[in-house]
Amino acid sequence: MPVPAYATRHPRRLLRDLTFETIRDAIVDGTLTPGERLFEDDLAAWLGVSKTPVKEALARLSAQGLVQIEANRFTRVATADDLDLLDTLELIGVLHGEAVRSLPRAASEGAAQRADRALAVLDAGPTCLGLVEASGAFLELARNPLVRRAAEPLDIRAAFLCRHLAVDWSRASLAGRLADLSRSLGSRDWPGTADALQRVFRRSSLHDAIIALPAAPPPVADEAGGQRARPGGPGAVATT
């Protein structure tokens, strides 16, 4: 038969990218816990890959603040520090706010849907991650692609930090800021929404509202006394 002129399969993804994403997701979802030591040999055996993509993945994760590396001393999952969360959320407020500020005056259907989802999060009682994800949905509509690229690693870091730390949104000091955000979203006032987001996520707004969440239970020990891979862990990385 004649060979088709077009490709019938999606290009294979690079193993190093799959390795990076798998370790990153294991950190974000709590499979790998803050401060946990990371050993290249163990990760390579866990994922069924060589040490080279693991080494590259750890270096990238270190650049994103999810892994801490001290040469010849240790490599470990980053700690979940309230100061890091404050810094991360403040920058997220700036970038998410900029994405909203760039929306046209005549709101598109997509922007209105995102506003309604954010209002639902506020009405249900916001969580740290819920509000980050709701406001981050506007990034897809940002006119400046650099805003999206800059926000992505921060949003991932917030997902990690918000698994171990929380914001007490019931604080009286935050009530007015959340109300302003809700009003601006409801009226489709995009500049007002951008300003409100920046105020909500501002470091000075949240510095006394960060609380630690209970630690997850440790891994289950097997009969030989070793540690079994955590349920839902990465497992082997597929190459297709």
Side-chain angles (χ1 to χ4, degrees), residues 13-23 39-58 234-240:
R13 301 185 63 197
L14 293 176
L15 186 61
R16 65 186 180 190
D17 291 333
L18 290 170
T19 301
F20 164 76
E21 291 169 7
T22 305
I23 298 175
F39 299 97
E40 293 175 7
D41 289 336
D42 291 346
L43 290 171
W46 193 13
L47 300 174
V49 300
S50 70
K51 289 174 59 175
T52 299
V54 170
K55 187 185 294 289
E56 293 177 354
L58 293 176
V237 173
T239 58
T240 58

Side-chain angles (χ1 to χ4, degrees), residues 28-101:
V28 171
D29 70 18
T31 299
L32 299 173
T33 57
E36 182 172 351
R37 294 289 292 270
L38 300 173
F39 299 97
E40 293 175 7
D41 289 336
D42 291 346
L43 290 171
W46 193 13
L47 300 174
V49 300
S50 70
K51 289 174 59 175
T52 299
V54 170
K55 187 185 294 289
E56 293 177 354
L58 293 176
R60 291 173 64 183
L61 290 165
S62 175
Q64 292 189 2
L66 294 176
V67 165
Q68 296 171 335
I69 298 176
E70 287 287 343
N72 301 319
R73 291 187 60 200
F74 61 76
T75 298
R76 65 190 181 193
V77 178
T79 56
D81 184 273
D82 57 348
L83 297 179
D84 288 339
L85 181 57
L86 290 171
D87 290 341
T88 301
L89 291 179
E90 186 163 57
L91 287 175
I92 282 175
V94 172
L95 293 170
H96 290 191
E98 181 58 32
V100 176
R101 196 184 308 279

Side-chain angles (χ1 to χ4, degrees), residues 118-181:
L119 284 168
V121 169
L122 291 169
D123 291 342
T127 63
C128 175
L129 183 56
L131 197 50
V132 168
E133 291 179 339
S135 60
F138 288 97
L139 289 167
E140 299 172 5
L141 307 178
R143 294 179 180 177
N144 186 344
L146 294 178
V147 171
R148 296 194 297 272
R149 294 175 193 168
E152 181 179 3
L154 288 170
D155 289 350
I156 292 171
R157 180 157 177 74
F160 161 66
L161 292 169
C162 290
R163 178 168 290 277
H164 307 286
L165 299 166
V167 175
D168 182 4
W169 297 105
S170 65
R171 295 288 182 103
S173 58
L174 292 173
R177 292 174 172 83
L178 292 173
D180 289 343
L181 177 59

